[in-house]
Amino acid sequence: DAPKYPFGEYGVNKLAIERYLTGGQDRVRASVVHPGHISGPGWMPIGPAGNLDPAVIDALRADGSCLLPDRGGETIHHVHAEDVARLHQACLENPDAAEGQSFNSVCTQALTLRGYAELVARHFGKEPRLSFLPWAEWAARTGPEDADTTLEHIGRAPLFSMEKARTVLGFVPLHGVEDTVLEAIDAWVAAHRS
């Protein structure tokens, strides 16, 4: 319900679609679900550096090391794919309450980059060994593609509430953020690393 002030083509287009679906007469009955960083077994989740670089997970598994931008305090907000599907189902099962509404679909907690890296290192039995560089230095070392992906995620530092879905639809996510990201990482490691 908060006012939205998107930036970038992606965000601006998402808001235009939402307004189109929820804002007028002569439209189909619609609800909008805004998922966070969708995660689950079968693909690499947005990782502790805010991108999809598997080397970040490999280093955390090997020795707990991770290089992060700035101080690692930016947030990213995951959601388990099953909970995204369940929220869609809740909208379908409660059409009168859901019609014309938009709902966040995220875990009830977000992670900072630093907290995420520490979680992954400890999950693999390693003591976290984090280091930090100012953004420009980190981006130069990381490379343009991964740096751009990171900036797309941490530039918004998302932190969303599931309160509206709980109040309007009685919906509560089944999956916590730690279980969501670790399940996805474990499945990815099992499929791609020996």
Side-chain angles (χ1 to χ4, degrees), residues 2-3 17 21 23 33 49-50 53-54 56 59 87 101 122-123 191 193:
I17 291 166
L21 290 172
V33 173
D53 182 3
V56 173
L87 182 53
Q101 301 292 322
R122 288 188 176 111
H123 176 68
R193 301 292 191 254

Side-chain angles (χ1 to χ4, degrees), residues 33-117:
V33 173
H34 293 281
H37 305 306
I38 302 173
S39 303
W43 65 93
M44 171 69 81
I46 298 300
N51 58 43
L52 297 167
D53 182 3
V56 173
I57 301 300
D58 290 342
L60 286 163
R61 288 177 59 225
D63 63 8
S65 66
C66 187
L67 178 64
L68 296 173
D70 297 324
R71 295 178 149 200
E74 294 83 357
T75 56
I76 48 181
H77 210 155
H78 292 83
V79 61
H80 197 287
E82 180 183 11
D83 282 327
V84 176
R86 288 181 58 249
L87 182 53
H88 280 86
Q89 185 67 34
C91 289
L92 292 170
E93 291 174 353
N94 300 285
D96 292 335
E99 181 180 359
Q101 301 292 322
S102 62
F103 300 96
N104 294 322
S105 184
V106 290
C107 293
T108 56
Q109 292 181 309
L111 291 168
T112 63
L113 299 182
R114 176 190 301 234
Y116 190 3

